[in-house]
Amino acid sequence: MAPDHFRKHWGFASLAAAPLTLLTAVPALAQGIQPASFAGAAPLAVAVGAGAFALLAMGVVRKMLADTKAARSKSAEQIAGLRALVDEYEALLSGTREVTVLWTDADSPKLLGQAAAVLPIGRQPESVLNFQSWLDDADADRLARLLEDLRVHGHAFAASLNTLDGRLIRANGWVHGSGTAMRLRPAFLQPGAEPDLVAAAATGDGGSVRAILATLSKPAFLRDMKDRLTYANDAYLALAKALGKTGTQTMPPELLEPARLTQHLKACSGISEPASLSVAWAGQGAFELVEFPIAGGRAGLFRPIENQAVERIDDATTHISGIIDTLGTPIAIFNARRELIQFNQAYVSLWNLNRGFLTLGLDERAILDKLRTEGMLPAQVNYHTWRDEHLKAYSRTQPHEDEPWHLPDGRTIKVISAPAGATGGVIYVFDDITERLKLESTNKAFSNVQRETINALTEAVAVFGTNGRLTLSNPRLSALWKLPTNELGKNPHIDEIAEASGRAIPEDGASIWRELKRGIIDLNPTRSDTTGRINRSDGRLLDYAITRLPDGQTMMTFLDVTESASYSRVLKERNDALVAADVLKDAFVENVSYELRSPLTNIIGFADLLATEAGALNERQTAYVDYIRASSVTLGVLIDNILDLASVDAGIAELRPEQLDVALLVDKARAGLSASFPEISGEKPINLVVDIATDLPPFIADGTRIVQVLYNLLSNAARFSPPGGEIRLSISHRGERMLFVIEDEGPGLTDEMKSAMLTRLDNPSVSGRQRGAGLGLAIVKTFVNLHGGTISAEKREPRGSKIIVSLPRDSAMAAVAE
């Protein structure tokens, strides 16, 4: 039976039928099989058996996989159900007006429920375990000990605790499994606290609620669904009358101020749990307002707070409470128990605190802890030591100013504490002095810079007030008038300065300051600034200036101009000498033009006459005549150069651009060069090689000036080349520039010759045929610049020099561009 059940359970009964039938049939088949044929059928039987086993095994595996998948699916559904159940339980706990804390061996504490049910408004749920922040010191220590006993020894507990804001909290602790749990909830939800009222609210019997409210000795009331008061008991009306408000049981007045009433009603709307609020009135004490929903509205009562968190406010405090609300200075008042009893909007804005958190009766330590958590207090190495030092204000009998609080956000707060009155407590006044410190720092820096600037001046500075006393001066004033520095530091009167100056400069020190006094003490509103010069008896010249300042003070400055006056006199004399020299130069140029050129023309004419019409001359006579003619030409060129330079200096030199024939320019320069260096006694003084590019573009310039440039450069090369030395003139173009390159085989340009291109002085270190090179190069430099070109010089290797003149192809356009 077991094998049949196994086959049916795994679903392969039909699958095994064929092999079993085959096996049962083997004896019958064996009767008709010969041994020889049996031997051939054995492998077939083995193969059939193996195939049947494989099919059987495959079926078993498939069945096992399907069952495993089904089991996993069922387990996942069970886990999801358990998780959903846990979520429902947690949601149920979170919806109650209580909080439960769970501890396990491995996990951190887990909070379930509404922490706001036991914590003051605005606190984070995690602060539930910070007992010191919301419980009285004694109850906080007691709860900590009970909780330690529960977690270490497993002793359950139940206790009632008083909060800092006067509420009563019920705490229960017990062991569950391997962990522990603690539940906290407001005491007014406990049975026995207004039991009839709670029961009536639970049943929804509005008539019962009203009947119970009428019997209560505490102020109580009813509201409808629109938050309107519909009923108040006698205790409520008595409290209203004490507060100066009138009404009836069916039309009672609101006791809260409109702003707080609006905030409270907003907190009550839309919740199904009781809501509470701490309130206090001068002369009546402090109450906890509790409202909870009932059928058709809400019921509420004012419960006097035992061991009031907010003590009665005396008449003086009542008088100033309305004043501090209008002040822009942050103010907070705490009673002797360190509980907040008064603050203004400026205090809230200073610390950016939530109005819901700042409830009356809140302990100052809780406020400081919250500010520290939010990074609003000065950074301290030991916060608790700093806090204890700050709280010493409650034991002081005189106002005290703390060290400024430098907050992490960059602000600086000045804190002043003063006793609140005969009953104890502290009044804090906070002053944000950040901007004032910045202004003071800026003003101090400005004053330092101003003083350093004044002290660094070469002028003597003295500032006098409207009373004639010195208010500001620099060391230069003491040095210039020989006055003691320590006397000036005492803010002396101008008369005292005059006396001291008379002792230092007996001749006229006192009289000078008496004259200056008239300009300083002049109170005429139409007075104007004055300046002048003082010629002291000791030979010093002082320029002074008297300036009226906007604040009514007078600033006087002195500048010692003795040396500068001497320099001015010397410069004037030298300028007069230069003017005279310029006049002499003009006269010289005029003489050169008219007095020297006339005899030079005669010399040239008679030399030509001797060479052509004086008859036959021997070889020596001919050489002398050639020297006369060459020297005359050279002298004429020098005179022309001098006149050209003079015209440039006078600003009357002008270019006459025209299209030029470069080859013709070279021929004219060659002719001038031949006249200056003629062939004498069959000896060629120079060997000029000219290389003119064939593809030159049109060249527009002043032909006369270009010929002078080429002539002076070639003659300069001839002077520094050995007799018969090669001088090469290459003319080409590069873009829009014409290039004139002169190369020689002379010793090369010295530094003196290079500087001669920039000066008009002849080089006195050369002689013979090298004289006059400086003036020629100056002419070259001048005319090249007039054309907008450049000139450069460089040495050749192994000897010789190379001068490159670069001119614009069209000098007329270059002149217009300039």
Side-chain angles (χ1 to χ4, degrees):
M1 181 175 180
D4 293 340
H5 173 73
F6 178 79
R7 288 194 298 270
K8 292 178 181 178
H9 177 72
W10 290 101
F12 59 87
S14 60
L15 183 65
L20 291 175
T21 304
L22 179 62
L23 292 176
T24 55
V26 168
L29 293 174
Q31 297 178 2
I33 299 176
Q34 299 298 323
S37 61
F38 179 78
L44 177 62
V46 172
V48 171
F53 181 77
L55 291 174
L56 179 64
M58 183 174 65
V60 171
V61 170
R62 291 183 62 184
K63 182 64 176 175
M64 291 175 65
L65 291 176
D67 291 347
T68 301
K69 185 176 181 181
R72 288 179 179 176
S73 178
K74 185 176 180 180
S75 299
E77 291 178 358
Q78 291 176 348
I79 292 173
L82 291 174
R83 287 178 177 174
L85 186 60
V86 170
D87 292 340
E88 289 180 6
Y89 288 153
E90 289 186 357
L92 181 61
L93 290 174
S94 298
T96 61
R97 292 287 294 175
E98 62 183 35
V99 60
T100 302
V101 187
L102 302 177
W103 287 273
T104 61
D105 293 337
D107 297 332
S108 58
K110 185 174 183 180
L111 300 178
L112 300 175
Q114 298 184 17
V118 297
L119 292 177
I121 297 175
R123 298 296 182 87
Q124 297 296 324
E126 293 78 8
S127 61
V128 165
L129 299 178
N130 186 9
F131 304 138
Q132 296 287 346
S133 67
W134 60 281
L135 289 176
D136 282 344
D137 291 340
D139 287 343
D141 294 338
R142 183 161 64 97
L143 180 59
R145 289 194 301 271
L146 291 173
L147 190 59
E148 181 181 4
D149 190 45
L150 169 67
R151 299 188 64 186
V152 175
H153 303 292
H155 296 164
F157 66 86
S160 296
L161 308 170
N162 292 312
T163 65
L164 293 174
D165 55 5
R167 293 177 295 114
L168 188 65
I169 300 296
R170 188 70 176 171
N172 296 88
W174 69 94
V175 177
H176 74 94
S178 60
T180 56
M182 177 180 65
R183 180 172 64 236
L184 302 170
R185 57 184 175 182
F188 62 75
L189 293 180
Q190 299 291 333
E194 289 84 28
D196 297 333
L197 181 59
V198 174
T203 60
D205 186 356
S208 300
V209 171
R210 179 173 296 194
I212 293 173
L213 292 181
T215 63
L216 291 178
S217 61
K218 303 171 184 177
F221 58 88
L222 289 176
R223 293 186 187 276
D224 60 13
M225 296 300 294
K226 296 182 179 180
D227 294 331
R228 294 177 301 191
L229 291 176
T230 59
Y231 173 77
N233 64 1
D234 293 337
Y236 184 98
L237 296 177
L239 178 60
K241 184 177 180 181
L243 296 177
K245 299 181 180 182
T246 59
T248 63
Q249 284 190 341
T250 57
M251 297 183 64
E254 292 284 0
L255 301 184
L256 297 180
E257 297 178 358
R260 297 204 68 186
L261 177 62
T262 302
Q263 181 181 4
H264 173 65
L265 295 178
K266 185 177 180 181
C268 294
S269 62
I271 63 173
S272 58
E273 297 294 331
S276 62
L277 175 69
S278 296
V279 294
W281 290 285
Q284 301 301 319
F287 297 84
E288 181 180 21
L289 169 60
V290 180
E291 287 197 34
F292 45 90
I294 62 172
R298 291 196 306 276
L301 64 119
F302 289 90
R303 296 190 307 164
I305 298 176
E306 299 295 334
N307 299 323
Q308 300 178 37
V310 180
E311 297 182 348
R312 295 187 177 186
I313 304 174
D314 56 22
D315 294 338
T317 306
T318 305
H319 177 69
I320 67 171
S321 62
I323 298 176
I324 68 172
D325 286 337
T326 62
L327 294 178
T329 302
I331 297 176
I333 303 176
F334 294 83
N335 61 15
R337 295 171 58 84
R338 299 191 294 267
E339 294 159 345
L340 183 65
I341 59 175
Q342 185 69 39
F343 61 92
N344 60 1
Q345 181 60 38
Y347 177 79
V348 178
S349 301
L350 175 67
W351 300 113
N352 195 24
L353 293 172
N354 189 339
R355 273 283 191 175
F357 169 78
L358 275 180
T359 58
L360 297 180
L362 186 62
D363 193 285
E364 185 183 3
R365 292 171 299 180
I367 298 176
L368 293 175
D369 292 343
K370 180 175 180 61
L371 293 177
R372 182 200 180 198
T373 302
E374 296 181 356
M376 299 290 287
L377 289 181
Q380 300 293 335
V381 176
N382 191 328
Y383 165 72
H384 291 286
T385 302
W386 175 87
R387 188 183 69 176
D388 293 341
E389 183 67 25
H390 170 72
L391 294 177
K392 288 182 179 179
Y394 290 91
S395 60
R396 296 191 183 102
T397 58
Q398 297 294 330
H400 176 76
E401 181 176 334
D402 293 349
E403 290 292 329
W405 292 7
H406 300 285
L407 306 186
D409 59 5
R411 293 182 298 166
T412 300
I413 307 298
K414 181 174 70 174
V415 183
I416 300 175
S417 58
T423 59
V426 177
I427 299 176
Y428 288 108
V429 179
F430 301 87
D431 187 10
D432 188 345
I433 60 175
T434 307
E435 292 301 324
R436 190 176 73 188
L437 290 179
K438 288 182 179 178
L439 290 176
E440 290 178 354
S441 176
T442 303
N443 183 62
K444 183 177 180 181
F446 176 77
S447 299
N448 291 337
V449 171
Q450 182 187 47
R451 179 164 292 279
E452 291 176 2
T453 302
I454 291 177
N455 291 343
L457 292 177
T458 58
E459 296 177 327
V461 177
V463 179
F464 292 90
T466 56
N467 57 358
R469 288 193 171 274
L470 183 69
T471 59
L472 179 66
S473 64
N474 64 349
R476 183 61 178 161
L477 179 69
S478 174
L480 195 60
W481 288 96
K482 304 176 184 179
L483 300 174
T485 305
N486 58 341
E487 293 295 331
L488 295 179
K490 298 178 181 178
N491 303 109
H493 193 272
I494 189 171
D495 291 335
E496 298 174 355
I497 296 177
E499 293 176 3
S501 297
R503 293 190 294 269
I505 310 172
E507 293 82 1
D508 56 359
S511 60
I512 291 174
W513 276 98
R514 291 191 187 99
E515 289 293 329
L516 295 174
K517 176 182 177 181
R518 298 177 182 178
I520 294 175
I521 64 174
D522 185 5
L523 300 180
N524 186 355
T526 61
R527 62 184 180 176
S528 60
D529 299 341
T530 58
T531 58
R533 173 168 291 186
I534 300 172
N535 189 356
R536 281 196 334 206
S537 59
D538 58 358
R540 310 303 295 180
L541 291 178
L542 306 180
D543 282 349
Y544 72 90
I546 300 176
T547 306
R548 314 301 175 183
L549 300 180
D551 58 356
Q553 298 189 100
T554 302
M555 181 177 68
M556 178 174 290
T557 59
F558 300 93
L559 179 63
D560 188 348
V561 296
T562 306
E563 294 182 1
S564 61
S566 300
Y567 293 151
S568 177
R569 184 175 62 256
V570 171
L571 290 175
K572 185 177 183 305
E573 292 173 355
R574 297 195 65 178
N575 184 67
D576 294 341
L578 290 175
V579 171
D582 191 61
V583 173
L584 290 176
K585 183 195 72 172
D586 293 340
F588 171 73
V589 171
E590 185 177 356
N591 288 333
V592 168
S593 178
Y594 295 102
E595 300 297 333
L596 295 182
R597 186 175 292 278
S598 296
L600 180 62
T601 302
N602 294 334
I603 293 172
I604 295 174
F606 284 117
D608 291 340
L609 184 61
L610 286 173
T612 57
E613 299 182 5
L617 300 175
N618 58 32
E619 182 176 352
R620 177 174 293 181
Q621 291 172 338
T622 302
Y624 290 161
V625 171
D626 290 340
Y627 276 126
I628 293 173
R629 296 172 65 187
S631 298
S632 300
V633 171
T634 301
L635 183 57
V637 171
L638 291 175
I639 293 173
D640 290 339
N641 288 343
I642 292 173
L643 294 175
D644 288 336
L645 288 177
S647 64
V648 171
D649 287 343
I652 60 176
E654 296 182 356
L655 297 180
R656 295 180 175 84
E658 59 181 344
Q659 186 167 341
L660 303 176
D661 184 349
V662 176
L664 183 59
L665 297 175
V666 174
D667 290 341
K668 291 181 179 180
R670 189 202 302 267
L673 190 64
S674 298
S676 299
F677 299 91
E679 183 176 343
I680 301 174
S681 301
E683 180 183 354
K684 293 185 64 176
I686 58 174
N687 180 17
L688 179 61
V689 178
V690 179
D691 182 11
I692 303 176
T694 58
D695 58 344
L696 292 179
F699 180 41
I700 300 175
D702 188 330
T704 303
R705 306 303 186 188
I706 298 300
V707 170
Q708 286 181 275
V709 169
L710 294 177
Y711 168 76
N712 279 287
L713 289 177
L714 292 174
S715 62
N716 182 75
R719 288 188 182 93
F720 286 90
S721 296
E726 181 180 283
I727 299 174
R728 177 174 294 275
L729 171 61
S730 302
I731 303 174
S732 61
H733 76 97
R734 183 179 300 166
E736 293 296 317
R737 309 290 290 185
M738 296 291 292
L739 300 179
F740 297 84
V741 181
I742 295 91
E743 300 174 283
D744 62 52
E745 296 178 348
L749 287 175
T750 63
D751 293 338
E752 291 82 0
M753 293 305 299
K754 288 182 179 179
S755 64
M757 293 184 182
L758 304 176
T759 181
R760 300 174 185 176
L761 298 177
D762 201 0
N763 186 3
S765 64
V766 297
S767 60
R769 49 186 276 144
Q770 297 181 0
R771 294 295 303 271
L775 185 61
L777 291 179
I779 286 292
V780 170
K781 178 69 174 176
T782 300
F783 289 158
V784 169
N785 288 342
L786 284 176
H787 280 82
T790 60
I791 182 171
S792 61
E794 58 188 46
K795 287 186 177 181
R796 294 177 60 198
E797 294 297 338
R799 61 183 285 116
S801 61
K802 180 179 181 181
I803 297 179
I804 304 171
V805 176
S806 175
L807 298 174
R809 188 186 62 78
D810 189 346
S811 298
M813 294 184 62
V816 172
E818 293 180 358

